[in-house]
Amino acid sequence: MNFVISDWVVATTNEDEMLHGYIESIDVLQGIARVHVIASDRETAIGRIMEVSSQDVKKLPVSEFDIEDQVKSLIDVALTTRDEQWFNELSAKLFAIQNNGAKRGERDVFPSYYHNRLGVDQF
């Protein structure tokens, strides 16, 4: 097994259904992984935990968030959860992404407006 709990995976069931989700638990002795299904060929499986053979599980690669809109969305989540450390990390990441793009003026890096994509004013 080359995966652990919380890894994002793609798996195939005994009925040849494709599952996409994350590992909830692993039974090493029986060779079974329990996957919380996010997407599947069978719509009734979505949102459920399915048991699949560990042999039929493939770990998805971890991707780095480097798209500006993705980082901005995560900043909104950090603000909502009031996680200051994560907010600072994401802000630094956003600043680096914006500086690595095409040469811009300083006012383009930090826009004069803020658009709250969560649609929430206060908590």
Side-chain angles (χ1 to χ4, degrees):
M1 271 186 263
N2 59 348
F3 49 85
V4 295
I5 294 173
S6 80
D7 280 348
W8 286 92
V9 296
V10 173
T12 309
T13 65
N14 292 338
E15 292 81 31
D16 204 31
E17 298 167 332
M18 192 71 130
L19 305 176
H20 177 215
Y22 58 89
I23 302 288
E24 281 273 327
S25 63
I26 303 168
D27 187 337
V28 178
L29 297 176
Q30 294 183 6
I32 294 175
R34 291 172 189 85
V35 178
H36 185 125
V37 180
I38 303 300
S40 175
D41 295 350
R42 184 172 49 119
E43 287 188 26
T44 57
I46 297 173
R48 299 181 63 195
I49 297 174
M50 304 287 293
E51 289 186 352
V52 292
S53 171
S54 297
Q55 298 172 346
D56 298 327
V57 176
K58 182 179 175 184
K59 182 177 175 180
L60 293 173
V62 177
S63 63
E64 183 72 25
F65 287 105
D66 60 353
I67 298 173
E68 187 173 341
D69 288 338
Q70 290 174 334
V71 175
K72 285 180 179 179
S73 294
L74 288 175
I75 287 173
D76 286 340
V77 174
L79 288 170
T80 301
T81 59
R82 297 181 179 165
D83 189 334
E84 184 177 354
Q85 181 180 357
W86 191 29
F87 170 79
N88 291 334
E89 290 171 12
L90 292 169
S91 296
K93 178 77 171 172
L94 178 62
F95 185 74
I97 290 169
Q98 290 173 335
N99 281 338
N100 288 335
K103 293 233 175 194
R104 307 176 196 186
E106 192 171 300
R107 62 184 154 80
D108 293 330
V109 174
F110 293 105
S112 60
Y113 66 91
Y114 174 74
H115 176 68
N116 183 348
R117 291 171 296 284
L118 292 176
V120 181
D121 290 336
Q122 293 181 7
F123 288 95

